[in-house]
């Protein structure tokens, strides 16, 4: 039996153009793809053995051997590249006997060349065949013969019959065998019939195809086709992620373009450096990656999703097999490519399946991931912690439940950099955005990685941070306050939503948000009002006129001394708590602090650092410090310190400040509990104060005010964060309000009345405001102004709720028919009688939620038990649909459900409620026994 040697390398032959050199290239890699994952399996017919003639072969040729092979590609309608069945590296060029086809040329294809090649491509590419060599041309060693397809069809007969091949003019001149002549006669008959039927190359409609060999104006191409799907043919595979494709723009317009497969980077293949003609070896698995793609896509029709352009102007696209989808996904699953982050924004949601495919290969340690080491998952992947400090837009400090504080870097994001001129001006704004979002909040941490200390850099942990189910890193990127870190290829310490972050960054850039705005922000400069005593005195009068000034604690100097920022005044000052004295903490390692000074300092640091607070300024001290009260979550921090035993009350200062009663009561509680400074307190050592003489005269007892009966139909229009109510009394006033609101709406619908405020609003001004939720106009009053932001905090005077809004959504309320003289504000202040709400934020929110559900949208009955001098109503609320007696009130329900307690010390007017108090205390004991809400840890009334 004769033995034939397969040729390795480029095919020879005339007029094959660049297709011959492109498609017959063979890999020099000794490996094979036989053991790789085959995503496109196809059932094969049983192969014919050598010397077993297929049907219709003349008997005299039985002794000529047949070989099994697989068609790798086609050069033209008459030539194929065939590989050995078990060795894709062994290739040979094979031409169909006696025939010729138009040729593909770089300058201009011959008419019908592509159609002829396509016909052969559809028949043979990727198919297992059998072929027989009939003759070779001397000196070229080019082989000519016949091919038998699996279904029994034969080439060149099938191609001639369809009109895609012509017989050579010299066919048969040197053939002296009768069988060959018979074969030629048969082919001539098929050719004549095809010509007669105007088939294939004989069709009068056949036209030249315009082939463009580059994109031309690449930006114009991208604008036209981005996001569209085009039909294409893969002409050449350079590597697993790079190929030459023919875009079938129209039947007569094709574009040959180098295309990068989106989302992946495959190992490089062996290539020759054109500058020095030296061979550059392939990266490991590079040739296998190319063979993988060649086996599945070379000379196949594919779908091309146009996505973008590389920096070199090459097309980036998703390349999809007609039946089996993205080739990138299959390459990744086989371990023959890696994901590349740079295409993530182009792919969008389609990047996620590629990441998943990469993980499959990593788990199985396939191909380029054969040495992959899975990332160790630390214990407690999802932790809860409190944010104690915001260091920058991408670095925070948190404290876990054990009280341990540590630094956390937000995964995969980076705040504005100091050394970047375009980013540095935004550092403070970005940090402030993050501070407002999460300072003091309990967040969830998912640790994504850690970095050991190296050189001047400390050890750090990177984590994904979520608050209220919102990803903080994503929010920062979406608002343009952080950029996304470009990780190294092997860097696994990254956010799990990394692709989403990259997409969000591109959107923020397009919308010019944050540091992408192109407008350098002016850094906020705070004037130090405590720099000198003279500066402090100048600022004092301005601050004394204001109450509950919004401020930020920038730094804690001690238990009762802080650096405070007041944004709306652009001032920074040293603030000292009035009415108390806290022990001093140590200022350095060698310094010795006073007893419990460090504990007081630590408590202040924990509760106040970078927190939003409110301050009342009373005076200044001798060195320019401002003395006053500071409130955190509406609670006096001086009282908190005293109650914890970390400060004592300075009676005279407390009297001057007006908070002596509250502070002295807190001090007594600390003494009885023997907390902090009072750990060794002996009650007998205290000199009891003489009771003040009663103002009403006799026996040292206050006069008990009898309970009033003043029932009113009401609506609860608002509940504030402390549980205080705003009521509307149903009656003539609400009827007038409805009439007025109808006129108010019509008035503001008229474009003639759309003129804004003539001058900047002031605190206390009445205005018309457009409510954010329903975009309707309501009467309101200015509570405070942020002149820098041109924003006001307003209160809706007929409903009691408030919000911040720009001045542009305000209108003057100068019309007489809408003034408060015509109809007074309908929302009045009210407090539920005989209830003391919890100070703990979580329990207080539960109470307010319960109260809201009990009152929302209902017409209720309120008994006004007492009216305070400033006009606040103390009420007992009844739901007439369920209340049958005086003790069946909403007040009682709140106590019963454990959302509030009965006050231990009663005011004079409260003591006339003996029967109601008895019921409330019984219900309170039931709630304690059942461990409801604030009593879940038992009876803590003495604590």
């Amino acid at each position: 039996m004769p033995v034939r040697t397969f040729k390795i390398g480029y095919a020879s032959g005339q007029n094959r153009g660049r297709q011959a050199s492109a498609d017959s290239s063979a890999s020099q890699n000794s490996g094979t793809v036989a053991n790789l994952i085959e995503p496109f399996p196809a059932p094969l017919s049983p192969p014919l053995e050598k010397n077993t003639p297929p049907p219709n072969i003349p008997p005299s040729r039985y002794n000529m051997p047949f070989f099994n092979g697989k068609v790798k590609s086609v050069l033209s309608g008459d030539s194929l590249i065939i590989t050995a069945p078990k060795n894709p590296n062994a290739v040979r060029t094979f031409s169909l006997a006696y025939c010729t086809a138009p040729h593909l040329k770089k300058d201009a294809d011959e008419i019908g060349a592509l159609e002829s090649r396509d016909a052969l491509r559809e028949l043979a590419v990727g198919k297992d065949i059998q072929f027989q060599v009939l003759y070779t041309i001397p000196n070229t060693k080019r082989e000519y013969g016949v091919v038998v397809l699996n279904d029994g069809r034969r080439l060149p007969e099938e191609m001639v019959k369809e009109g895609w091949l012509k017989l050579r003019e010299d066919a048969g001149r040197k053939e002296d065998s009768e069988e060959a002549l018979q074969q030629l006669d048969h082919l001539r008959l098929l050719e004549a019939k095809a010509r007669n039927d105007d088939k294939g190359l004989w069709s009068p409609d056949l036209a030249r195809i315009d082939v463009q060999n580059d994109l031309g104006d690449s930006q114009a191409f991208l604008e036209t086709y981005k996001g569209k799907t085009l039909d294409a043919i893969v002409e050449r595979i350079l590597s697993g992620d790079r190929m030459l494709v023919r875009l079938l723009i129209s039947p007569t317009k094709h574009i040959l373009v180098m295309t990068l497969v989106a989302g992946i980077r495959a190992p490089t293949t062996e290539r020759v450096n054109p500058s020095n003609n030296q061979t550059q070896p392939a990266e490991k698995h590079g040739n296998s990656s190319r063979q993988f793609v060649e086996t599945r896509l070379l000379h196949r029709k594919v779908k091309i999703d146009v996505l973008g352009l590389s920096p070199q102007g090459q097309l980036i696209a998703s390349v999809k097999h007609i039946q089996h989808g993205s080739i990138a996904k299959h390459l990744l699953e086989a371990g023959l490519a890696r994901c590349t982050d740079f295409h993530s924004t182009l792919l969008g949601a389609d990047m996620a399946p590629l990441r998943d495919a990469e993980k499959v290969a990593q788990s199985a340690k396939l191909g380029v991931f054969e040495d992959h080491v899975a990332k160790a998952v630390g214990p407690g992947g999802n932790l809860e912690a409190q944010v104690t400090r915001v260091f920058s837009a991408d670095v925070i400090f948190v404290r876990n439940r054990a009280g341990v504080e540590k630094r956390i870097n937000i995964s995969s994001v980076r705040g504005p950099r100091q050394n970047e001129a375009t980013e540095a001006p935004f550092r403070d704004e970005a940090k402030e955005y993050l501070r407002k979002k999460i300072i003091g909040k309990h967040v969830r941490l998912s640790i994504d990685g850690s970095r050991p200390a190296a050189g001047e850099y400390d050890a750090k942990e990177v984590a994904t941070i979520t608050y209220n189910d919102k990803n903080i890193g994503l929010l920062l990127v979406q608002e343009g306050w952080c950029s996304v870190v470009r990780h190294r290829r092997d860097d696994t310490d990254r956010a799990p939503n990394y692709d989403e972050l990259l997409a969000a960054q591109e959107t923020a850039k397009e919308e010019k948000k944050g540091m992408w705005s192109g407008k350098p922000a002016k850094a906020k400069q705070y004037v130090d009002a405590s720099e000198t005593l003279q500066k402090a005195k100048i600022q004092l009068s301005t601050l004394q006129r204001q109450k509950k000034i919004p401020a930020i604690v920038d730094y804690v100097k001690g238990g009762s001394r802080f650096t405070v920022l007041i944004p709306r005044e652009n001032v920074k000052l040293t603030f000292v708590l009035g009415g108390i004295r806290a022990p001093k903490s140590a200022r350095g390692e060698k310094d010795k602090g006073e007893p419990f000074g460090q504990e007081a300092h630590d408590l202040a640091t924990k509760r106040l650092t970078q927190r939003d607070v409110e301050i009342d300024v009373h005076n200044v001290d001798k060195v320019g410090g401002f003395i006053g009260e500071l409130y955190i979550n509406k609670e006096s921090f001086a009282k908190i310190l005293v109650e914890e035993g970390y400060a004592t009350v300075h009676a005279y200062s407390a009297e001057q400040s007006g908070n002596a009663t509250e502070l002295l009561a807190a001090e007594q509680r600390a003494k009885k509990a023997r907390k902090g400074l009072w750990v060794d307190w002996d009650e007998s050592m205290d000199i009891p104060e003489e009771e003040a003489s009663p103002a009403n005269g006799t026996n040292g007892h206050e006069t008990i005010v009898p309970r009033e009966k003043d029932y009113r139909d009401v609506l609860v229009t608002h509940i504030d964060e402390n549980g205080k109510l705003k009521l509307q009394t149903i009656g003539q006033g609400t009827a007038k309000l409805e009439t007025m609101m109808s006129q108010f709406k019509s008035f503001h619908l008229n474009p003639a009345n759309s003129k804004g405020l003539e001058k900047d609003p002031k605190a206390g001004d009445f205005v018309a405001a457009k409510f954010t939720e329903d975009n309707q106009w309501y009467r309101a009053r200015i509570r405070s102004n942020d002149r820098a932001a041109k924003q006001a905090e307003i209160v809706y005077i007929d409903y009691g709720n408030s919000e911040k809004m720009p001045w542009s959504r305000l209108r003057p309320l100068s019309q007489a028919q809408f003034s408060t003289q015509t109809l007074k504000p309908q929302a009045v202040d009210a407090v539920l009688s005989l209830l003391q709400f919890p100070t703990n934020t979580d329990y207080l929110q539960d109470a307010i939620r319960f109260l809201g559900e009990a009152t929302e949208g209902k017409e209720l009955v309120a008994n006004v038990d007492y009216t305070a001098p400033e006009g606040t109503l103390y009420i007992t609320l009844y739901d007439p649909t369920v209340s049958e007696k005086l003790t069946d009130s909403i007040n009682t329900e709140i106590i019963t459900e454990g959302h509030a307690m009965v006050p231990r010390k009663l005011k004079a007017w409260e003591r006339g409620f003996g029967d109601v108090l008895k019921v409330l205390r019984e219900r309170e004991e039931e709630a304690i026994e059942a461990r409801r809400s604030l009593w879940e840890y038992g009876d803590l009334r003495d604590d």
Side-chain angles (χ1 to χ4, degrees):
M1 182 184 297
V3 177
R4 295 191 179 275
T5 303
F6 289 137
K7 294 183 292 181
I8 308 297
Y10 291 97
S12 61
Q14 298 178 344
N15 296 325
R16 296 300 172 218
R18 66 175 178 173
Q19 294 300 318
S21 63
D23 296 328
S24 62
S25 61
S27 169
Q28 300 301 313
N29 187 3
S30 60
T32 175
V33 295
N35 295 323
L36 299 178
I37 294 174
E38 291 280 349
F40 315 140
L44 304 177
S45 302
L48 296 171
E49 298 296 332
K50 293 179 183 178
N51 295 327
T52 303
N56 304 322
I57 296 297
S60 63
R61 296 185 184 268
Y62 284 179
N63 62 341
M64 301 185 70
F66 273 84
F67 295 92
N68 291 329
K70 188 171 186 176
V71 179
K72 176 182 178 181
S73 62
V74 294
L75 302 180
S76 62
D78 60 2
S79 297
L80 310 89
I81 302 295
I82 301 174
T83 65
K86 294 184 180 181
N87 184 6
N89 295 317
V91 298
R92 68 198 295 171
T93 303
F94 188 82
S95 298
L96 299 178
Y98 310 125
C99 299
T100 184
H103 294 141
L104 299 166
K105 298 181 179 179
K106 185 173 183 179
D107 49 356
D109 297 340
E110 295 179 2
I111 295 177
L114 182 68
E115 292 89 339
S116 175
R117 191 195 72 164
D118 266 4
L120 183 58
R121 183 182 61 77
E122 294 283 354
L123 284 171
V125 168
K127 306 290 178 59
D128 287 279
I129 61 165
Q130 293 181 331
F131 63 97
Q132 180 187 47
V133 178
L134 300 182
Y135 60 89
T136 60
I137 294 180
N139 301 324
T140 66
K141 296 183 179 180
R142 189 156 190 178
E143 299 173 321
Y144 291 80
V146 295
V147 171
V148 180
L149 304 176
N150 276 335
D151 57 6
R153 289 184 294 175
R154 300 176 64 240
L155 303 175
E157 284 85 345
E158 193 68 24
M159 290 287 289
V160 174
K161 182 174 72 172
E162 296 300 323
W164 294 120
L165 288 181
K166 296 180 180 180
L167 263 65
R168 292 180 178 273
E169 294 180 1
D170 59 353
R173 291 180 183 176
K174 297 181 180 180
E175 266 305 339
D176 53 2
S177 72
E178 183 178 349
E179 294 84 355
L181 294 174
Q182 289 177 359
Q183 181 77 359
L184 284 167
D185 289 341
H186 179 59
L187 290 174
R188 288 192 180 99
L189 287 173
L190 293 175
E191 182 184 54
K193 188 174 187 311
R195 182 190 297 115
N196 187 58
D197 293 342
D198 293 336
K199 283 187 174 184
L201 300 175
W202 313 108
S203 172
D205 299 328
L206 204 61
R208 186 180 300 278
I209 296 174
D210 178 20
V211 180
Q212 181 178 318
N213 291 302
D214 55 42
L215 287 177
D217 186 342
S218 56
Q219 287 300 328
F221 175 88
L222 190 62
E223 290 175 7
T224 303
Y225 295 106
K226 186 174 182 179
K228 295 182 180 179
T229 300
L230 302 176
D231 290 323
I233 298 172
V234 178
E235 296 285 358
R236 180 184 175 192
I237 308 294
L238 281 81
S239 62
D241 60 355
R242 190 180 298 259
M243 59 188 68
L244 182 71
V245 300
R246 179 186 292 264
L247 302 178
L248 308 180
I249 302 300
S250 72
T252 58
K253 172 71 174 178
H254 295 177
I255 299 178
L256 279 168
V257 59
M258 189 61 64
T259 301
L260 305 182
V261 180
I264 63 169
R265 191 244 179 224
T268 60
T269 54
E270 183 179 83
R271 55 183 131 179
V272 176
N273 189 332
S275 62
N276 54 19
N277 290 324
Q278 291 184 352
T279 300
Q280 180 178 331
E283 292 180 343
K284 193 174 184 180
H285 303 291
N287 291 337
S288 295
S289 177
R290 181 180 65 184
Q291 288 173 2
F292 185 96
V293 180
E294 281 181 342
T295 305
R296 290 150 178 81
L297 295 189
L298 183 60
H299 280 190
R300 267 72 153 200
K301 274 195 172 181
V302 295
K303 295 289 184 181
I304 297 289
D305 291 343
V306 178
L307 301 177
L309 297 171
S310 72
Q312 294 76 31
Q314 295 172 323
L315 179 65
I316 300 174
S318 288
V319 181
K320 297 180 178 179
H321 187 274
I322 298 298
Q323 294 178 327
H324 300 283
S326 170
I327 188 64
K329 178 175 178 290
H330 296 291
L331 263 174
L332 289 166
E333 287 178 343
L336 296 176
R338 299 177 187 269
C339 285
T340 178
D341 298 332
F342 295 100
H343 296 168
S344 176
T345 53
L346 299 176
L347 283 162
D350 291 336
M351 191 70 189
L354 301 188
R355 300 279 188 197
D356 293 338
E358 184 179 55
K359 290 176 183 175
V360 170
Q362 288 173 343
S363 299
K365 295 191 174 185
L366 297 175
V368 296
F369 303 109
E370 59 191 355
D371 298 322
H372 176 73
V373 177
K375 181 180 175 181
V377 179
N382 201 357
L383 309 172
E384 186 173 329
Q386 184 184 31
V387 179
T388 57
R389 184 156 54 101
V390 174
F391 181 78
S392 64
D394 56 0
V395 179
I396 64 173
F397 287 83
V398 299
R399 181 184 292 109
N400 62 19
R401 292 183 176 180
V404 177
E405 186 176 72
K406 61 181 176 180
R407 169 181 169 143
I408 296 292
N409 286 55
I410 303 176
S411 290
S412 298
V413 304
R414 177 172 53 211
R417 290 167 288 184
Q418 184 67 46
N419 57 351
E420 290 289 335
T422 57
E423 297 180 12
F426 298 95
R427 285 171 60 85
D428 291 339
E429 282 187 86
K431 177 182 174 181
E432 179 63 9
Y433 176 85
L434 181 60
R435 187 196 68 82
K436 285 184 176 180
K437 283 287 181 187
I438 63 173
I439 190 65
K441 302 295 193 299
H442 285 83
V443 298
R444 288 205 169 272
L445 307 176
S446 179
I447 304 299
D448 298 320
S450 59
R451 306 283 174 85
E456 60 185 61
Y457 297 101
D458 296 331
K460 66 178 182 180
E461 287 185 310
V462 294
T464 297
I465 300 173
T466 55
Y467 173 64
N468 284 346
D469 296 326
K470 292 184 179 179
N471 186 301
I472 298 302
L474 181 60
L475 283 177
L476 286 164
V477 174
Q478 287 173 336
E479 295 302 319
W481 297 125
C482 279
S483 58
V484 181
V485 175
R486 290 290 184 177
H487 292 283
R488 299 189 310 275
R489 188 177 68 185
D490 57 347
D491 187 359
T492 58
D493 294 347
R494 60 174 67 189
N497 64 332
Y498 186 68
D499 297 316
E500 188 180 10
L501 291 175
L502 289 170
Q505 177 174 264
E506 293 304 309
T507 303
K509 287 181 177 180
E510 291 172 5
E511 297 176 356
K512 297 186 182 304
K513 287 187 173 182
M515 62 180 174
W516 312 116
S517 64
K519 300 175 183 178
K522 186 177 180 180
K524 199 173 187 70
Q525 298 293 329
Y526 288 96
V527 177
D528 188 356
S530 295
E531 186 177 9
T532 64
L533 180 58
Q534 184 180 4
K535 279 188 176 182
K537 288 181 177 179
I538 293 172
Q539 189 69 44
L540 178 63
S541 58
T542 301
L543 298 178
Q544 280 180 324
R545 288 196 297 268
Q546 304 177 55
K547 295 296 181 185
K548 298 290 179 68
I549 305 168
I552 303 167
V553 177
D554 188 51
Y555 182 70
V556 175
K557 296 181 176 181
S560 62
R561 196 173 187 87
F562 323 106
T563 299
V564 170
L565 306 178
I566 305 178
R568 74 183 184 191
E569 300 289 342
N570 281 343
V571 297
K572 174 176 72 172
L573 49 86
T574 298
F575 191 81
V576 184
L577 296 180
I580 66 168
R581 183 192 180 282
K584 295 180 181 179
S585 57
R587 294 187 178 182
E589 294 182 2
K590 297 181 180 180
D591 190 14
K592 187 176 181 181
E594 297 176 349
F596 295 98
Q598 191 58 49
E599 288 84 346
H601 194 156
D602 291 344
L603 178 63
T605 300
K606 180 179 177 181
R607 296 289 297 273
L608 299 182
T609 300
Q610 293 187 331
R611 303 295 206 283
D612 289 305
V613 298
E614 294 176 317
I615 61 172
D616 284 338
V617 175
H618 300 149
N619 211 331
V620 294
D621 60 19
K622 295 178 181 180
V623 293
F626 289 76
I627 302 170
E629 291 183 81
L630 183 146
Y631 301 90
I632 176 74
N633 296 328
K634 308 297 182 183
E635 186 177 11
S636 167
F637 187 69
K639 188 202 79 169
I640 294 173
L641 273 176
V642 171
E643 205 162 33
E644 293 297 325
Y646 296 147
T648 57
V649 179
H650 189 278
Y652 176 77
S653 299
E655 290 291 344
Q656 293 294 106
S657 300
N659 58 349
T661 303
E662 181 182 44
L663 293 178
L664 290 170
E667 188 176 62
Q668 286 301 314
R669 290 195 292 273
K671 287 178 177 180
K672 290 180 180 179
R674 288 177 170 75
K675 289 184 176 180
L677 295 165
W678 312 110
V679 64
D680 298 322
W681 175 71
D682 185 353
E683 188 172 1
S684 63
M685 299 295 292
D686 269 10
I687 301 174
E689 296 182 5
E690 294 183 2
E691 292 187 0
S693 299
N696 54 19
T698 61
N699 300 325
H701 297 290
E702 293 178 285
T703 302
I704 296 176
V705 180
R707 183 186 186 193
E708 298 177 1
K709 290 184 179 181
D710 182 4
Y711 294 102
R712 304 177 191 180
D713 295 326
V714 297
L715 283 173
V716 175
T717 58
H718 181 64
I719 305 171
D720 74 11
E721 60 189 3
N722 295 315
K724 294 181 179 179
L725 312 178
K726 289 286 187 177
L727 300 180
Q728 284 183 358
T729 302
I730 300 172
Q732 188 176 6
T734 52
K736 288 182 179 180
L737 179 62
E738 289 183 19
T739 303
M740 190 200 73
M741 288 307 301
S742 178
Q743 298 171 354
F744 203 62
K745 180 178 180 181
S746 300
F747 177 87
H748 285 285
L749 285 174
N750 187 345
N753 301 320
S754 61
K755 187 176 180 182
L757 300 174
E758 295 182 356
K759 57 183 180 179
D760 293 351
K762 298 178 181 177
D765 288 352
F766 289 98
V767 293
K770 197 172 187 180
F771 187 40
T772 302
E773 289 190 12
D774 62 6
N775 278 327
Q776 298 297 320
W777 292 93
Y778 297 90
R779 299 193 301 172
R781 188 175 187 178
I782 303 290
R783 176 183 286 169
S784 63
N785 269 314
D786 184 350
R787 299 191 179 279
K790 294 187 180 300
Q791 190 179 59
E793 182 180 6
I794 56 100
V795 180
Y796 295 99
I797 60 176
D798 296 311
Y799 299 89
N801 55 317
S802 63
E803 67 173 334
K804 289 184 179 180
M805 61 170 51
W807 292 349
S808 59
R809 291 175 68 89
L810 303 179
R811 299 287 182 269
L813 192 69
S814 55
Q815 305 81 22
Q817 69 270 32
F818 305 136
S819 71
T820 54
Q821 284 76 28
T822 302
L823 180 66
K824 68 178 183 179
Q826 291 299 294
V828 296
D829 293 316
V831 177
L832 293 178
S833 301
L834 302 173
L835 297 188
Q836 181 178 327
F837 284 109
T839 56
N840 179 279
T841 304
D842 293 334
Y843 294 138
L844 179 59
Q845 289 177 352
D846 290 342
I848 293 171
R849 192 179 300 112
F850 180 87
L851 180 56
E853 292 173 354
T855 60
E856 185 178 7
K858 297 179 180 178
E859 292 188 5
L860 305 171
V861 175
N863 183 66
V864 179
D865 303 318
Y866 174 73
T867 303
E870 78 275 9
T872 301
L873 306 180
Y874 287 77
I875 62 171
T876 301
L877 267 181
Y878 299 91
D879 185 347
T881 61
V882 296
S883 299
E884 297 180 358
K885 51 188 177 180
L886 290 178
T887 55
D888 292 341
S889 65
I890 292 174
N891 304 44
T892 308
E893 290 179 21
I894 293 172
I895 293 290
T896 304
E897 294 302 320
H899 293 307
M901 64 176 69
V902 181
R904 303 289 295 274
K905 295 182 181 179
L906 300 175
K907 300 180 180 68
W909 65 268
E910 293 175 322
R911 295 174 190 157
F913 288 66
D915 54 337
V916 177
L917 282 167
K918 179 181 178 183
V919 173
L920 290 178
R921 285 172 175 147
E922 289 174 355
R923 297 293 178 85
E924 185 180 55
E925 293 301 323
E926 291 175 14
I928 294 171
E929 186 69 21
R931 298 289 183 93
R932 294 176 187 150
S933 195
L934 70 90
W935 310 113
E936 65 178 315
Y937 298 113
D939 186 357
L940 303 177
R941 286 176 292 185
D942 289 333
D943 187 357

